[in-house]
Amino acid sequence: MLAVTAIFFMLALFLAPPIKNYFVQRAQINALESQLKSDNSALDAARKELLLWQDPEYIKSQARERLHFVLPGERQYIVTGTDGENSDQPAQTDVVSNLPEGQPWYTRMIASITEAGKG
């Protein structure tokens, strides 16, 4: 009985590391396969976008939307301000109202950057 137990113990000692390596490698393979699937879907999306950018009409629409380009003879009006606010006084933003008073200019600048970054 002792000999059989010793044999099973030695067998377990010799087989445990290869079995552990097998399961670790299977997990790595599964992770790489899922990454490959996500990379392929990103590649397909990039190819679709590339096809869009080969269309001259799409390029014109993007230039109008992103860069505010207009064709010769056209006029473009850009409305600034908040929607629905019709007052004679300019609107004071939260950034300006939250700045510390009586501080040096650099402190006010840092506070302005910090407040602008919160929104």
Side-chain angles (χ1 to χ4, degrees), residues 3 9 17 19 37 40 47-49 52 60 80 87 94:
F9 181 72
I19 291 174
K37 287 179 185 177
N40 282 337
R47 284 182 178 154
K48 288 178 184 175
E49 187 175 350
L52 282 175
K60 284 182 188 178
T80 59
S87 65
D94 290 337

Side-chain angles (χ1 to χ4, degrees), residues 13-91:
L13 281 177
F14 289 128
L15 291 180
I19 291 174
K20 179 186 171 224
N21 288 338
Y22 171 77
F23 286 116
V24 168
Q25 289 174 353
R26 283 306 310 166
Q28 289 175 344
I29 289 170
N30 290 337
L32 289 173
E33 285 175 347
S34 67
Q35 182 181 359
L36 182 63
K37 287 179 185 177
S38 68
D39 289 347
N40 282 337
S41 65
L43 180 63
D44 290 340
R47 284 182 178 154
K48 288 178 184 175
E49 187 175 350
L50 180 63
L51 287 175
L52 282 175
W53 281 103
Q54 291 176 352
D55 181 22
E57 291 300 318
Y58 181 76
I59 293 173
K60 284 182 188 178
S61 70
Q62 291 299 308
R64 285 176 181 266
E65 182 182 324
R66 294 182 182 189
L67 304 174
H68 303 291
F69 283 8
V70 294
L71 293 174
E74 292 181 346
R75 285 192 181 180
Q76 183 177 30
Y77 296 100
I78 300 174
V79 179
T80 59
T82 58
D83 294 334
E85 195 171 302
N86 294 329
S87 65
D88 294 333
Q89 298 176 355

Side-chain angles (χ1 to χ4, degrees), residues 92-103:
Q92 188 175 19
T93 62
D94 290 337
V95 174
V96 175
S97 64
N98 291 335
L99 291 179
E101 293 294 327
Q103 298 291 326

